[in-house]
Amino acid sequence: MLKLLSSSSCLHNRVNSLAPTSIRTGSSAPFLRVLSSLTGLAGRNRNLGCRVFFCSDASDGSEPPVAEAEVKEAESGAEAKPSSAIVSTNPRPEDYLTVIALPLPHRPLFPGFYMPIFVKDPKLMAALQDSRKRQAPYAGAFLLKDEPGTDPSFVSGSEADKNIYDLKGKELFNRLHEVGTLAQISSIQGDQVILIGHRRLRITEMVSEEPLTVKDKPYNKDDDVIKATSFEVISTLRDVLKTSSLWRDHVQTYTQHIGDFNFPRLADFGAAISGANKLQCQEVLEELDVYKRLKLTLELVKKEIEITKIQESIAKAIEEKISGEQRRYLLNEQLKAIKKELGLETDDKTALSAKFRERLEPNREKCPPHVLQVIEEELTKLQLLEASSSEFNVTRNYLDWLTALPWGNFSDENFDVLHAQKILDEDHYGLTDVKERILEFIAVGKLRGTSQGKIICLSGPPGVGKTSIGRSIARALNRKFFRFSVGGLADVAEIKGHRRTYIGAMPGKMVQCLKNVGTANPLVLIDEIDKLGRGHAGDPASALLELLDPEQNANFLDHYLDVPIDLSKVLFVCTANVVEMIPNPLLDRMEVISIAGYITDEKMHIARDYLEKSTRESCGIKPEQVEVTEAALLALIENYCRESGVRNLQKQIEKIYRKIALKLVRQGVSGENEVTETNDAEVVQVNGLVQNTDDSKNQSGLESVEGDSHEQVESSLEPDTNKDAKETENVNEKEAIMEIEKVLVDKENLSDFVGKPVFHAERIFDRTPIGVVMGLAWTAMGGSTLYIETTHVEQGDGKGALILTGQLGDVMKESAQIAHTVARAILLKEEPDNTYFANTKLHLHVPAGATPKDGPSAGCTMITSMLSLALNKPVKKDLAMTGEVTLTGKILPIGGVKEKTIAARRGEVKTIIFPAANRRDYDELASNVKEGLNVHFVEEYSQIFDLAFGDDESSEK
């Protein structure tokens, strides 16, 4: 009966055949002769002695033959020793009707092949060892079925083994395939059991005394179809054996231990050594019809042939690639050796050293001694290093940077003040302070005979020309120009460089600058210095202290070069939008020049003389094709581009000229179409004339010979003249049609080019009502006017309070509280009986509630607004004011005088009140900015009270 124990086993490796050995045999089977001729079986005898017995499948339904092979020592005559890999058994396998079932998770076992398995169950291992001791070394090996609903291609080996361990009893019996293999237990070593397949086996039931052997169905050995199929299998195996020595070993081992090849054995052999999956192999094992089994095996072996061809093509492609690269490498090495022997070329290290020395030679006399010493040491070090070492590449890169820097190489500077003034005026309009400072720098250099580096910081709103003026300054001074932006920079290594110990180390920006420009006195523009970042890699603002300090940058030390560099001749120009964002230690080292922005008159000049000209050229438009009126430019500036800079103005002008270009092109295309239609009409007319002439000739008959000759002479003289006249006429007509009407851009049609106005008049009231006062504010985009409105909410005894709205900042809220207190004190002073503030709840609002506002300069405006409401009296017409107020009524200075003055002019304000401390700032303004303004400078609020609420005569006094 069949014993099914609660056990589990796993397959350690895929199917392995027996160890390759050979026997001397007198078999004359045709299959064996064919395969033996391929593998050289007769010439590779191992001469090992053993006596073994194997049971093979019966081919005709008779008792299975017992193959006995006895091999003795051929040369030495020593006694043969039994093989340790095979257990000699006197009983035949047919004598054992009950065997232990061993599940195989990965692949079935075919007759004649080895298979090692691991047995983890101690009870099963004890049963197998007991079977060997009782001279019954046989077991049944059955392939395990896959779990329902699982894909076997996605199940790993460890998961399959784990599933086997969980199967017990009836569940395991149901998971076994019906047909398996009767296997001999060859050896047991630890938990490893070596099985040798003998013959097929079929499960009948869990306990049965029926015979356990499964015989092949009878077949006709002389059937031509079976012969043809078997010979095709042999032919295919021959092709495979030519490419794989492992398969030849399989043939040798199989014939040694199984015997001659017949049709069933040939099918088993082909299926066993193929790379098919377990279900395909199990299908071959279960097939008892020899012809069908041969067909299945033939399919599997053919598939192996295709896989082998693909493998060969892949191997060939890789081998050709590798061999080509190796051949190229060997030829290059031979070429180097030949050139070196002939003196045509030196080795890499010598060539590198020569290149570095040649690069250093022009500046050797100007190069500092300490740098020369470092370079010589590194060159000596380079000769001692192997080219394949990592230190070699580090040293080579270090020498590359050291020798590439312009040690002591300065460009010839321009000390001509008039020439520099001309260049600066060509590129920029206005910017008087910046130009004056550059001319001073040139004058000092002319008197001293040499120039020193300076650190200048240009501050101002966006679009006023801070960055572009740097390039003009470099051109005026005849210096090389280099720009790098530090906005958002958070790594100190970008300024000071990396240590050479890091992979991919690089010097800092200044060293890269000197290498790029090739001189030691360039103009370096450090852009957006007020937007420096700060991260985990250090504080770049602190690293810039050494770079921008005139006392320290003469010995600037880069981490990568590790040698001092003289930057004292470099002119640093920094740009910033908000100076307050620059750290104080860094700001202290720079000379700040404020660029407040441009007023309307300056923007008109810039647009007409610079922006419009460059935009017209970039768009390919001629000056006679377009005209932009002064009124259109003024409307564009006032209603679309109120910011301090001219960047947006340039964008709007470009937009206008792009639309003009499109309009001109459309007119030109329509004109070309008209010319084409005219030419087509002329061609049709000429063709009609020719046709009419032919008809007239046909009707009139032949002319005389003399008349024909006369006409021919005249016609030969006339064609050229007529042709030239026609071409001239066509050209004139085409020019007349192509003449395009000039495009005029005026105030009326400006919206057709740039759309609806973006800005409207900042002035809301022609005359401010009670409780409303105009103030002046500074913004990053320039100055602007704003109204401060105050009204009462409710009145009653002791209800005096203040409500603030308009998205005000903390400083502005405090200013409002101070203004409320000061206004209350002034009202008691002017009208002691007036208790308006004590009994009235006030609401103060600053319009444009979506815009954040902060700052102390609106204090005097808030006081005036509250007093206007309390006195029930409006302030004077066209009045604006700004200034910080203390609790005692003192007026403190404010900033942004120029921006606020420009905003007042734009708002058509005639009278401005400034703190007395800002008189100096106002006096420095250009005359065109101050034109038409009546400015009062005050020290106390009582002066503002008189100006805002007094009579006209007193205010004039």
Side-chain angles (χ1 to χ4, degrees):
M1 61 181 174
L2 178 64
K3 299 178 181 178
L4 294 177
L5 304 180
S6 298
S7 62
S8 60
S9 62
C10 67
L11 179 63
H12 181 58
N13 291 313
R14 64 171 293 183
V15 176
N16 294 317
S17 66
L18 293 171
T21 56
S22 303
I23 61 171
R24 294 193 299 272
T25 175
S27 174
S28 60
F31 306 112
L32 182 59
R33 287 200 303 272
V34 173
L35 294 176
S36 298
S37 65
L38 293 174
T39 59
L41 188 59
R44 296 192 299 168
N45 293 333
R46 301 291 183 89
N47 299 324
L48 298 177
C50 63
R51 181 181 295 274
V52 295
F53 299 92
F54 292 94
C55 294
S56 61
D57 293 341
S59 60
D60 53 3
S62 60
E63 285 291 324
V66 178
E68 178 178 353
E70 183 176 353
V71 184
K72 295 184 179 180
E73 195 72 23
E75 298 179 0
S76 60
E79 294 182 2
K81 297 181 181 180
S83 173
S84 60
I86 302 173
V87 178
S88 301
T89 57
N90 291 325
R92 301 195 308 174
E94 293 83 0
D95 298 336
Y96 302 97
L97 302 180
T98 61
V99 291
I100 300 172
L102 298 177
L104 304 178
H106 301 290
R107 194 176 175 89
L109 174 63
F110 281 91
F113 284 86
Y114 272 122
M115 178 178 287
I117 65 172
F118 282 89
V119 179
K120 302 296 184 181
D121 194 339
K123 294 182 179 179
L124 179 58
M125 179 60 74
L128 293 176
Q129 292 176 348
D130 186 59
S131 297
R132 290 197 67 199
K133 293 178 181 178
R134 293 189 291 106
Q135 299 297 318
Y138 290 96
F142 299 92
L143 182 66
L144 194 67
K145 297 178 182 178
D146 295 322
E147 291 186 17
T150 59
D151 189 354
S153 60
F154 293 99
V155 179
S156 61
S158 60
E159 292 179 355
D161 297 340
K162 184 177 181 182
N163 294 336
I164 293 175
Y165 299 152
D166 298 336
L167 298 176
K168 306 292 182 183
K170 189 69 175 179
E171 185 181 1
L172 178 61
F173 175 74
N174 294 332
R175 289 284 302 278
L176 296 178
H177 281 275
E178 185 181 2
V179 178
T181 306
L182 180 65
Q184 177 186 348
I185 303 173
S186 175
S187 64
I188 300 177
Q189 299 176 356
D191 57 353
Q192 187 182 47
V193 179
I194 306 297
L195 302 178
I196 306 175
H198 277 272
R199 60 189 304 161
R200 282 171 173 76
L201 193 67
R202 185 187 298 277
I203 300 176
T204 56
E205 55 187 4
M206 286 190 64
V207 179
S208 175
E209 294 185 1
E210 296 294 329
L212 302 177
T213 59
V214 179
K215 297 182 180 179
D216 295 331
K217 293 181 180 180
Y219 66 92
N220 186 5
K221 295 182 179 179
D222 298 328
D223 189 350
D224 293 338
V225 177
I226 294 179
K227 284 185 179 180
T229 306
S230 63
F231 280 121
E232 181 63 23
V233 174
I234 292 173
S235 176
T236 307
L237 288 174
R238 182 188 295 114
D239 295 338
V240 177
L241 291 172
K242 290 178 181 179
T243 61
S244 176
S245 60
L246 180 62
W247 285 45
R248 291 197 292 269
D249 294 337
H250 282 309
V251 176
Q252 179 182 349
T253 304
Y254 192 83
T255 55
Q256 176 182 354
H257 295 291
I258 296 301
D260 296 341
F261 275 99
N262 53 22
F263 296 131
R265 293 173 183 169
L266 182 64
D268 288 345
F269 175 78
I273 65 177
S274 68
N277 59 38
K278 62 180 182 179
L279 296 180
Q280 292 174 332
C281 293
Q282 180 66 26
E283 186 179 0
V284 175
L285 185 66
E286 293 178 354
E287 184 58 60
L288 301 181
D289 189 308
V290 175
Y291 171 64
K292 293 182 180 179
R293 193 191 304 173
L294 282 171
K295 286 185 64 178
L296 292 173
T297 301
L298 182 60
E299 292 178 4
L300 299 181
V301 178
K302 287 288 187 182
K303 188 178 294 185
E304 286 294 324
I305 283 291
E306 296 300 325
I307 295 175
T308 303
K309 289 180 180 179
I310 296 174
Q311 179 184 355
E312 287 180 351
S313 63
I314 295 173
K316 184 178 180 182
I318 295 176
E319 183 179 357
E320 288 178 354
K321 182 179 179 181
I322 295 176
S323 61
E325 292 176 355
Q326 289 178 344
R327 183 171 178 271
R328 184 180 182 86
Y329 174 76
L330 292 175
L331 290 176
N332 284 331
E333 292 298 324
Q334 292 176 1
L335 181 62
K336 289 180 182 179
I338 293 173
K339 287 185 177 181
K340 186 176 181 181
E341 290 295 330
L342 295 176
L344 301 177
E345 185 178 301
T346 58
D347 58 356
D348 292 341
K349 293 189 289 187
T350 306
L352 280 174
S353 299
K355 183 185 76 171
F356 292 143
R357 293 184 184 279
E358 181 181 358
R359 185 188 295 175
L360 181 65
E361 193 62 33
N363 297 328
R364 178 176 289 274
E365 296 180 357
K366 304 175 184 177
C367 187
H370 62 277
V371 177
L372 285 175
Q373 182 180 357
V374 172
I375 292 176
E376 292 296 335
E377 292 176 355
E378 293 297 324
L379 286 172
T380 305
K381 179 181 177 181
L382 187 69
Q383 294 295 327
L384 301 176
L385 293 173
E386 291 293 333
S388 59
S389 66
S390 59
E391 186 67 20
F392 180 84
N393 293 325
V394 173
T395 305
R396 182 185 61 186
N397 293 335
Y398 183 47
L399 282 170
D400 191 13
W401 281 101
L402 277 177
T403 55
L405 293 182
W407 301 105
N409 186 16
F410 301 102
S411 60
D412 296 332
E413 287 193 86
N414 170 40
F415 293 120
D416 188 350
V417 177
L418 297 179
H419 178 69
Q421 179 77 51
K422 180 181 177 182
I423 292 176
L424 293 174
D425 290 338
E426 284 178 359
D427 296 340
H428 292 81
Y429 180 84
L431 302 181
T432 307
D433 295 343
V434 182
K435 295 178 180 178
E436 193 71 20
R437 181 64 185 88
I438 298 305
L439 295 178
E440 292 171 1
F441 178 81
I442 295 175
V444 172
K446 183 176 180 64
L447 295 177
R448 294 183 70 245
T450 181
S451 63
Q452 292 292 323
K454 290 292 180 181
I455 297 93
I456 300 173
C457 179
L458 306 178
S459 67
V464 296
K466 300 185 299 297
T467 303
S468 59
I469 192 65
R471 193 179 300 274
S472 299
I473 294 172
R475 192 160 69 94
L477 295 175
N478 194 28
R479 289 195 179 200
K480 297 290 185 178
F481 178 77
F482 184 85
R483 172 192 171 273
F484 70 94
S485 177
V486 294
L489 188 68
D491 190 0
V492 175
E494 292 290 330
I495 306 296
K496 300 278 288 181
H498 302 84
R499 299 287 181 186
R500 293 198 303 276
T501 53
Y502 298 126
I503 297 175
M506 289 283 291
K509 285 291 185 183
M510 274 312 303
V511 177
Q512 298 178 32
C513 160
L514 296 179
K515 181 181 178 182
N516 290 337
V517 300
T519 60
N521 62 337
L523 186 145
V524 179
L525 180 70
I526 304 178
D527 220 352
E528 310 293 350
I529 198 170
D530 59 328
K531 299 175 182 62
L532 276 171
R534 184 169 186 174
H536 66 281
D539 184 12
S542 301
L544 283 173
L545 292 177
E546 180 184 3
L547 182 66
L548 300 180
D549 191 342
E551 301 298 329
Q552 299 182 35
N553 60 13
N555 295 302
F556 177 74
L557 188 64
D558 185 88
H559 290 162
Y560 183 86
L561 293 184
D562 205 23
V563 293
I565 305 173
D566 185 9
L567 301 179
S568 61
K569 304 291 185 181
V570 178
L571 176 59
F572 291 98
V573 178
C574 307
T575 66
N577 295 124
V578 183
V579 178
E580 289 74 14
M581 299 295 293
I582 304 175
N584 288 331
L586 188 59
L587 185 63
D588 182 61
R589 287 164 169 78
M590 297 187 291
E591 181 181 349
V592 180
I593 300 177
S594 297
I595 304 176
Y598 302 104
I599 60 174
T600 303
D601 294 341
E602 292 174 335
K603 286 185 178 181
M604 288 287 292
H605 283 92
I606 294 172
R608 183 65 74 188
D609 299 336
Y610 299 90
L611 302 181
E612 189 180 4
K613 181 181 178 181
S614 61
T615 305
R616 187 170 57 239
E617 292 176 355
S618 63
C619 292
I621 299 175
K622 298 179 180 179
E624 60 270 13
Q625 292 178 323
V626 63
E627 179 182 356
V628 182
T629 63
E630 296 290 335
L633 277 180
L634 182 61
L636 183 67
I637 294 171
E638 291 290 343
N639 300 330
Y640 297 86
C641 310
R642 284 188 182 177
E643 49 281 313
S644 300
V646 293
R647 184 176 290 125
N648 189 40
L649 179 60
Q650 181 181 8
K651 293 178 182 178
Q652 297 296 336
I653 293 176
E654 289 175 354
K655 187 176 182 180
I656 292 173
Y657 273 87
R658 285 197 303 269
K659 291 188 178 295
I660 292 174
L662 178 60
K663 190 173 183 179
L664 292 175
V665 171
R666 284 176 175 171
Q667 290 181 6
V669 170
S670 62
E672 290 177 359
N673 292 336
E674 293 178 2
V675 172
T676 304
E677 292 176 359
T678 304
N679 293 336
D680 292 341
E682 290 177 357
V683 172
V684 172
Q685 185 178 2
V686 171
N687 290 336
L689 292 175
V690 173
Q691 185 177 0
N692 294 334
T693 304
D694 293 339
D695 295 339
S696 63
K697 285 183 178 179
N698 293 332
Q699 294 176 1
S700 61
L702 299 174
E703 300 290 339
S704 61
V705 176
E706 294 179 359
D708 292 342
S709 61
H710 182 70
E711 290 177 359
Q712 289 177 1
V713 171
E714 290 180 354
S715 62
S716 63
L717 296 174
E718 291 178 357
D720 292 339
T721 306
N722 295 335
K723 185 176 180 181
D724 293 340
K726 289 181 178 179
E727 288 182 355
T728 305
E729 184 178 355
N730 291 337
V731 169
N732 294 334
E733 291 179 357
K734 187 174 180 180
E735 288 180 353
I737 294 174
M738 289 293 292
E739 184 177 354
I740 300 172
E741 183 181 357
K742 177 183 287 188
V743 179
L744 178 65
V745 180
D746 202 354
K747 183 178 181 180
E748 286 73 17
N749 65 348
L750 181 63
S751 59
D752 297 337
F753 295 91
V754 292
K756 295 181 179 180
V758 179
F759 298 99
H760 301 281
E762 291 183 356
R763 186 162 186 156
I764 303 176
F765 309 100
D766 291 335
R767 182 176 181 87
T768 54
I770 295 173
V772 179
V773 181
M774 180 185 289
L776 301 175
W778 177 93
T779 65
M781 303 297 292
S784 66
T785 59
L786 77 163
Y787 288 93
I788 294 181
E789 304 173 344
T790 306
T791 185
H792 67 270
V793 179
E794 59 178 344
Q795 288 182 333
D797 294 338
K799 289 188 176 182
L802 180 64
I803 302 174
L804 302 175
T805 57
Q807 201 172 351
L808 308 181
D810 293 337
V811 176
M812 202 165 184
K813 289 179 181 179
E814 293 177 356
S815 296
Q817 295 294 338
I818 295 172
H820 187 252
T821 302
V822 175
R824 188 169 182 174
I826 292 175
L827 183 62
L828 289 175
K829 180 181 178 182
E830 296 292 332
E831 298 181 5
D833 297 333
N834 194 336
T835 59
Y836 182 82
F837 289 111
N839 300 326
T840 306
K841 185 176 183 179
L842 301 180
H843 182 182
L844 186 145
H845 175 68
V846 183
T851 305
K853 311 169 191 69
D854 201 3
S857 61
C860 63
T861 313
M862 292 179 179
I863 296 175
T864 308
S865 175
M866 295 177 188
L867 289 175
S868 173
L869 185 65
L871 297 174
N872 196 23
K873 184 178 182 180
V875 298
K876 291 183 179 180
K877 186 180 179 180
D878 300 333
L879 174 67
M881 63 187 69
T882 179
E884 180 182 356
V885 181
T886 66
L887 280 174
T888 58
K890 294 291 184 180
I891 306 299
L892 301 183
I894 46 87
V897 172
K898 181 178 181 180
E899 289 86 350
K900 294 179 179 180
T901 306
I902 294 172
R905 281 177 56 88
R906 188 167 56 240
E908 298 180 357
V909 174
K910 299 296 188 292
T911 305
I912 304 177
I913 299 176
F914 278 133
N918 290 112
R919 183 186 295 272
R920 177 178 59 85
D921 300 324
Y922 181 81
D923 292 340
E924 292 178 355
L925 298 181
S927 58
N928 58 348
V929 176
K930 299 183 290 186
E931 184 180 357
L933 293 176
N934 183 19
V935 181
H936 300 272
F937 298 95
V938 297
E939 294 181 353
E940 295 182 355
Y941 184 78
S942 59
Q943 299 174 266
I944 298 178
F945 186 86
D946 296 336
L947 291 170
F949 302 106
D951 296 333
D952 294 338
E953 296 179 358
S954 61
S955 62
E956 289 177 0
K957 291 181 182 179

